[in-house]
Amino acid sequence: MTRELLYGWGLTAPGNCEIQTVHSEAQVIDQMNKVSRTIARGLGRSYGDPAQVSGGMVLNNRGLCEIGPISETGVVTVGAGASIDELLQISTPLGWFVPVTPGTRQVTIGGAIAADVHGKNHHVDGSFANHVLSMRLVTPAGAHTISPTKKAELFWGTVGAMGLTGVITEATIQMTPITTDSVLVDTDRYANLEAVMTAMLEGDDNYRYSVAWVDCMTKGKNMGRAILTRGDHASVDQVKNPTLIGPEPPKLNVPFMPPSGLLNRASVRLFNEAWFRYAPQHREKEVQSLSTFFHPLDGVSNWNRMYGKRGFLQYQFAVSDAHSDTVVNAIKRLSESGVASFLAVLKRFGAGNASPLSFPIPGWTLALDLPIGSSRLPNVLDELDDMVVAAGGRLYFAKDSRLSPEKAQVMYPRLKEFRALKDRIDPEHKLTSDLARRLRLVGE
Amino acid sequence: MENAFGQPQNVVVFGGSSDIARAITRKLCAARTSNVVLAGRNQKALNAAADEAKDYGATQVSTVIFDAEEPENAAKTVDAAFAAAGEPVDLVIIAVGLLGKQTEDEDDPEATLRMASVNYTWPVTALAQLRKLMVAQGHGRILLISSVAAIRVRRTMYNYGAAKAGLDRFAFGYSQGLEGTGVKIQILRPGYVRTKMIAGLKEAPFTTGPNEVADYVMRGIANDSTIIWSPPILRYVFFMLRHLPNSLWRAVMDRQ
């Protein structure tokens, strides 16, 4: 057990915590009995403060990393601390892919459930928890096996709840069959936001995976110019030399922290321009590897250091189709404000699930990375919050590092229901985090 | 908790009715601060500051009475303020200070002791207790109001300047001792600010209002700067002033 300064991926608002790596369910139960405040942590890929509890005990789940055999039907039981990367190393050669992957493989299974992560296939396959058949959860009242049919309220209450119901120790997942490690990708470039949104509305249903990169710094008629990439797993007859090889380790690293301000308006604009120009106008059936298509940033270790000591944040919101104008207005507000924002990610969401705190709602989601430093940024983002609230939309807890508690309550109207569950299973509010305290998620 | 911009939710202010502290508190409440504890000497002045904090968005405001001439009670005052907050404290502002009147005070041992107590002994005693409480919390920020007067002590206010100089240097060592704890201290060095404190004095160059100071503080908090100069140009002005030969320094600074 050591004391450490823990940060989220955005490197903002650190908290000094005791940290203990846990290796068994018994050890989790033992720790939970001993401490007054605790939260689980995996690989620390949440941007803000959900995987730390200042002055409390953080249980690092990386000791729970066993990966069981994969059944003929693609069912596998995995320790909550195993990462999607580690699972893919084993499952890809056997012809199985994870049912849902976020933009990085470096997340643990426990974290994927706690944040109920989504990927490029949300409009078809839903979020991660939709493919979890059952899991083991240690609460202060003891360990439970929970599933959509067994203790369903606790199961769905745990999904998307950022670890506030307990520590997940293992999960049984339904994997997705693949026959090659390639993806066939169609790429299209659009001159503005309206064009890409129309294309996504009309065509996304023809693809399993779809995502658009949007430039949020260009104003005027090219506002929101975008590159749309969509694809499906390739079958053996669609590629020349079909293989089934797990993802490659990162080739590059950011070994030290450059000064903050390196990523400023000028350099980010230049990057966005280059990225846009480099993309083809239209290209069909390009063969890409799984890593290139799903996890482009995993090629560079510690890329978050690029933002320097001051760190950065990611702003991600979701709104329904009825409020698609919020996406347009948000990008307009950002491009006018002149804050530096890297290519934003725009995606369609399909149906949500039964969880009271899961982020996805059907419609649109937009995510963008922003460096800390501009004195305008806090107010611009508060304005965006108001727009999202007015549209009945919400922000993503796994990304948030600056929302206000008042707006969080409005964005998640089922928070009350979650708190009732929380009060039953954890009446002392032992499970808490800096995020939970900041947004007052667990009540007073 | 503090957010990614360093905007706190729970704030304790020592010297809570001072003009600079009030200006900062207003800005904080307009951002994310909901819970404020104002500590000071005068209940009536604290009540006025408390009403103002509520007007700007605070939902829970309490007050604590203390006297900075009694450093032996500083630890107790810190404890009382933290108890009044009721939750981990994200930001502590130490805005305790007394300018005095050098020419009147300099023959008066009691007045000189008072100047040292209020400007140095009380703050450092409080800082020791704050360190204990905040390191246990695992997070938090302290904003210590120093002064440009700490950079080079002047004939016309050496009681004040020397005490601030001591406090400013103390805070540097203190800051280094906090590395890795999740707690930080930031040192605010304002120039002349139009406040009650300097009422009647001649206005110096680069004088600002309390609201401008508060703006620089908000920016300094977001950027985690160890020293916050207000206005920022004073950093360069005082770099030159501190290296002036003594005769020149006195010619420039003794006039006021």
Side-chain angles (χ1 to χ4, degrees):
Chain A
M1 193 174 70
T2 53
R3 275 193 81 122
E4 249 182 69
L5 200 55
L6 297 178
Y7 295 79
W9 190 242
L11 302 175
T12 56
N16 189 292
C17 316
E18 286 190 19
I19 184 155
Q20 173 72 55
T21 303
V22 286
H23 299 271
S24 67
E25 187 178 285
Q27 197 187 357
V28 176
I29 295 171
D30 181 47
Q31 287 294 337
M32 209 173 285
N33 285 334
K34 274 194 229 161
V35 300
S36 60
R37 274 169 306 180
T38 188
I39 194 75
R41 180 181 180 96
L43 284 160
R45 251 51 175 199
S46 286
Y47 282 69
D49 46 6
Q52 66 197 46
V53 53
S54 301
M57 166 74 82
V58 166
L59 299 177
N60 181 339
N61 69 8
R62 293 285 286 155
L64 301 157
C65 52
E66 204 170 313
I67 298 175
I70 303 177
S71 80
E72 273 173 33
T73 55
V75 174
V76 62
T77 297
V78 185
S83 69
I84 286 185
D85 180 67
E86 288 152 359
L87 179 55
L88 284 176
Q89 300 296 352
I90 292 174
S91 72
T92 311
L94 302 172
W96 297 103
F97 192 64
V98 284
V100 167
T101 175
T104 170
R105 299 185 295 276
Q106 304 302 337
V107 299
T108 65
I109 300 300
I113 298 170
D116 196 16
V117 296
H118 54 269
K120 296 182 180 188
N121 56 343
H122 191 277
H123 61 294
V124 177
D125 295 319
S127 53
F128 195 87
N130 297 17
H131 308 272
V132 174
L133 304 177
S134 71
M135 58 180 155
R136 286 288 286 175
L137 176 77
V138 177
T139 71
H144 310 262
T145 299
I146 54 178
S147 75
T149 53
K150 197 176 166 195
K151 300 187 185 170
E153 192 196 3
L154 188 51
F155 178 87
W156 291 113
T158 297
V159 167
M162 305 310 288
L164 297 173
T165 57
V167 177
I168 301 165
T169 53
E170 66 173 34
T172 303
I173 302 161
Q174 174 64 57
M175 302 287 279
T176 297
I178 48 172
T179 51
T180 71
D181 56 13
S182 300
V183 186
L184 292 184
V185 185
D186 292 355
T187 305
D188 288 282
R189 211 161 82 167
Y190 295 91
N192 58 53
L193 190 60
E194 201 192 333
V196 71
M197 287 176 79
T198 307
M200 290 170 84
L201 273 173
E202 286 170 356
D204 268 15
D205 288 346
N206 304 326
Y207 298 87
R208 186 166 202 167
Y209 301 103
S210 165
V211 73
W213 297 77
V214 181
D215 180 355
C216 288
M217 289 187 78
T218 310
K219 292 185 224 174
K221 68 176 183 6
N222 286 331
M223 186 193 87
R225 60 184 180 172
I227 301 156
L228 178 59
T229 57
R230 298 186 285 198
D232 290 283
H233 291 289
S235 59
V236 276
D237 48 352
Q238 286 171 314
V239 286
K240 268 193 197 138
N241 300 305
T243 52
L244 277 171
I245 302 169
E248 283 173 23
K251 290 194 180 85
L252 300 168
N253 185 20
V254 181
F256 63 91
M257 195 92 83
S260 285
L262 188 69
L263 300 184
N264 53 37
R265 281 168 64 181
S267 64
V268 172
R269 201 183 288 274
L270 203 67
F271 173 88
N272 287 0
E273 188 72 38
W275 186 272
F276 189 78
R277 295 272 172 97
Y278 175 75
Q281 195 72 47
H282 174 79
R283 182 163 61 196
E284 274 181 37
K285 305 262 181 266
E286 182 197 359
V287 178
Q288 287 188 4
S289 72
L290 292 171
S291 332
T292 309
F293 184 69
F294 289 105
H295 313 118
L297 279 172
D298 281 352
V300 185
S301 299
N302 302 311
W303 63 261
N304 57 339
R305 289 182 184 162
M306 284 298 291
Y307 285 89
K309 217 173 65 176
R310 287 200 294 247
F312 71 113
L313 60 86
Q314 187 171 92
Y315 190 82
Q316 180 169 9
F317 69 85
V319 287
S320 67
D321 280 327
H323 292 95
S324 55
D325 57 327
T326 303
V327 176
V328 182
N329 294 335
I331 293 181
K332 200 165 166 214
R333 182 72 192 86
L334 281 162
S335 64
E336 282 167 358
S337 73
V339 297
S341 60
F342 261 104
L343 294 159
V345 172
L346 179 67
K347 230 215 89 53
R348 305 250 338 122
F349 270 160
N353 59 30
S355 153
L357 296 185
S358 173
F359 168 64
I361 48 173
W364 296 98
T365 184
L366 181 75
L368 50 142
D369 287 356
L370 300 155
I372 305 281
S374 156
S375 53
R376 288 185 297 269
L377 189 58
N379 290 334
V380 171
L381 295 183
D382 283 349
E383 281 173 41
L384 294 194
D385 291 347
D386 290 335
M387 288 162 64
V388 172
V389 164
R394 51 180 48 176
L395 264 57
Y396 189 10
F397 291 142
K399 306 289 178 71
D400 177 61
S401 57
R402 30 107 2 236
L403 185 61
S404 74
E406 295 77 19
K407 287 177 200 163
Q409 325 292 313
V410 186
M411 289 176 178
Y412 287 88
R414 290 177 69 196
L415 196 54
K416 241 187 234 162
E417 194 184 313
F418 170 76
R419 283 177 179 156
L421 170 73
K422 169 93 178 159
D423 286 342
R424 279 205 313 279
I425 56 153
D426 179 20
E428 293 168 50
H429 295 173
K430 259 189 183 193
L431 291 145
T432 186
S433 62
D434 286 355
L435 172 94
R437 294 195 281 193
R438 180 168 56 81
L439 296 180
R440 306 203 186 282
L441 295 182
V442 296
E444 300 304 309
Chain B
M1 298 304 302
E2 182 172 279
N3 70 13
F5 299 116
Q7 296 170 335
Q9 291 176 312
N10 303 328
V11 176
V12 168
V13 192
F14 297 106
S17 61
S18 85
D19 292 325
I20 295 179
R22 278 172 73 159
I24 298 170
T25 306
R26 288 196 293 268
K27 294 247 187 268
L28 293 170
C29 291
R32 291 285 187 274
T33 301
S34 55
N35 178 1
V36 183
V37 180
L38 298 170
R41 195 166 39 174
N42 179 330
Q43 187 66 54
K44 219 173 124 199
L46 288 179
N47 290 345
D51 288 343
E52 196 177 70
K54 282 183 198 148
D55 286 347
Y56 277 78
T59 51
Q60 193 194 329
V61 185
S62 31
T63 58
V64 171
I65 293 288
F66 79 101
D67 190 342
E69 289 180 38
E70 298 163 1
E72 61 278 15
N73 295 329
K76 249 192 290 179
T77 302
V78 168
D79 288 345
F82 271 56
E87 287 182 358
V89 176
D90 308 320
L91 174 67
V92 174
I93 301 173
I94 301 183
V96 176
L98 189 61
L99 192 60
K101 282 210 169 60
Q102 189 60 46
T103 45
E104 288 171 24
D105 294 345
E106 57 198 9
D107 290 328
D108 180 348
E110 271 176 38
T112 303
L113 173 63
R114 186 166 62 237
M115 288 298 290
S117 295
V118 173
N119 291 314
Y120 181 81
T121 317
W122 192 93
V124 298
T125 312
L127 280 169
Q129 183 68 4
L130 285 169
R131 191 189 135 86
K132 190 163 79 184
L133 298 181
M134 294 182 95
V135 167
Q137 281 183 181
H139 85 284
R141 196 183 284 269
I142 299 166
L143 178 74
L144 177 72
I145 305 192
S146 173
S147 167
V148 292
I151 308 303
R152 190 166 179 181
V153 176
R154 294 169 61 179
R155 158 72 188 99
T156 53
M157 46 171 82
Y158 64 80
N159 270 343
Y160 180 77
K164 284 290 189 190
L167 182 61
D168 193 283
R169 304 307 182 275
F170 178 94
F172 262 87
Y174 186 85
S175 159
Q176 289 157 17
L178 287 174
E179 279 163 18
T181 63
V183 183
K184 330 180 215 307
I185 186 165
Q186 293 181 282
I187 305 165
L188 173 65
R189 289 183 182 159
Y192 269 88
V193 186
R194 283 175 216 108
T195 61
K196 300 187 283 271
M197 195 193 240
I198 67 153
L201 295 186
K202 207 178 104 200
E203 199 156 288
F206 309 112
T207 297
T208 65
N211 285 327
E212 286 167 85
V213 180
D215 279 333
Y216 296 125
V217 166
M218 295 302 278
R219 200 176 302 171
I221 285 177
N223 293 344
D224 271 350
S225 342
T226 303
I227 303 170
I228 304 170
W229 295 86
S230 169
I233 190 171
L234 288 183
R235 175 181 182 180
Y236 306 101
V237 172
F238 272 83
F239 178 81
M240 288 185 299
L241 287 178
R242 68 189 283 204
H243 293 104
L244 285 183
N246 204 37
S247 53
L248 255 177
W249 162 256
R250 296 210 49 187
V252 177
M253 301 305 275
D254 282 2
R255 283 183 307 173
Q256 290 174 30

